[in-house]
Amino acid sequence: MIENGKRARTYMAAYLKTYMGYKVDPLDPKEEYITLEDIAHALSLNCRGNGQVTHFYSVCQHCINCAKEAKARGESVRVQFAALLHDGAEAYLSDLIRPIKDGMPGYREMEDRFLKVILAKFGLADLTKEEWQKVKKIDDDLLTIDLVELLKEPMPEEGYQVKRRPDIAFVPFEDAEKEYLQMANEYLTMLQNV
């Protein structure tokens, strides 16, 4: 905005106002302001591949597919839930493609710090290195499908390394959000009963 030939100062909030109405400091996240509703909603509206895909495919759908792949591989409920939550920080920090993240170590650190808070909030603070490596392998294997199916990259020689073919069809954001929340609440119930 310009007033009298000079740029007027505008108020810039030092927080992210979430869908559920919380004010989250992206540099200092607190568990009490993290909700599954905010994560599911934001991820359902966030497109994979920076939007450079053949059709809208949300980060939310990707996370759902990761959790379903973990289940197909016979992984524990903890690994399945971690696979669902693995991109949760992107609900607050946004999704950046890997080459940008690789060039911005400060962003990676911020994302890792935020994800630790999310995992702690939902009972996965003690996730082992081995459990997390399983989640990352699933994420990488599904990225291959994203690249081939949604970005028209060539099929790798080894093909797809998945137990179940993920559904990458267009899904309205409301449907993805609802499925994410349903799955997350089921995982929370299962973990409480262990």
Side-chain angles (χ1 to χ4, degrees):
M1 172 168 48
I2 300 192
E3 293 177 7
N4 300 325
K6 295 182 181 178
R7 183 169 290 286
R9 288 186 182 199
T10 57
Y11 176 73
M12 298 294 290
Y15 57 83
L16 167 71
K17 178 90 179 260
T18 71
Y19 175 68
M20 297 300 293
Y22 291 101
K23 294 177 181 178
V24 176
D25 180 349
L27 301 176
D28 187 23
K30 305 286 187 219
E31 283 185 39
E32 58 264 30
Y33 304 124
I34 305 298
T35 69
L36 288 170
E37 292 80 8
D38 280 332
I39 293 170
H41 183 74
L43 294 184
S44 73
L45 292 167
N46 204 339
C47 190
R48 290 277 287 169
N50 205 32
Q52 301 295 331
V53 290
T54 57
H55 64 271
F56 183 79
Y57 177 66
S58 71
V59 175
C60 187
Q61 288 172 260
H62 164 73
C63 291
I64 289 166
N65 281 323
C66 285
K68 289 179 178 179
E69 177 65 18
K71 183 176 183 178
R73 292 182 184 192
E75 299 297 348
S76 69
V77 169
R78 289 168 49 84
V79 170
Q80 292 174 46
F81 193 22
L84 186 69
L85 293 172
H86 83 278
D87 281 336
E90 294 176 9
Y92 301 92
L93 303 177
S94 195
D95 184 20
L96 297 178
I97 59 174
R98 286 186 184 191
I100 294 174
K101 286 181 184 180
D102 290 345
M104 297 175 63
Y107 180 87
R108 280 252 191 231
E109 291 168 11
M110 188 185 320
E111 186 179 50
D112 289 346
R113 184 171 50 250
F114 215 112
L115 185 58
K116 284 180 183 174
V117 172
I118 291 170
L119 293 173
K121 166 79 179 209
F122 300 110
L124 297 174
D126 61 343
L127 204 65
T128 67
K129 183 177 180 180
E130 292 75 25
E131 288 172 317
W132 187 247
Q133 287 173 340
K134 291 175 181 182
V135 171
K136 292 308 296 171
K137 174 75 170 118
I138 290 166
D139 186 32
D140 288 344
D141 290 344
L142 289 181
L143 173 62
T144 301
I145 292 173
D146 289 358
L147 292 171
V148 173
E149 302 289 333
L150 297 167
L151 294 166
K152 302 305 178 197
E153 289 286 328
M155 173 72 79
E157 286 183 29
E158 67 274 8
Y160 296 141
Q161 302 297 308
V162 293
K163 294 283 185 187
R164 69 172 289 281
R165 180 80 178 206
D167 180 5
I168 60 168
F170 170 76
V171 173
F173 83 90
E174 301 96 333
D175 295 347
E177 180 178 356
K178 182 179 177 182
E179 184 175 4
Y180 187 101
L181 284 171
Q182 180 181 348
M183 290 176 71
N185 285 310
E186 287 172 4
Y187 288 133
L188 283 171
T189 299
M190 286 187 274
L191 287 173
Q192 289 170 355
N193 292 330
V194 172

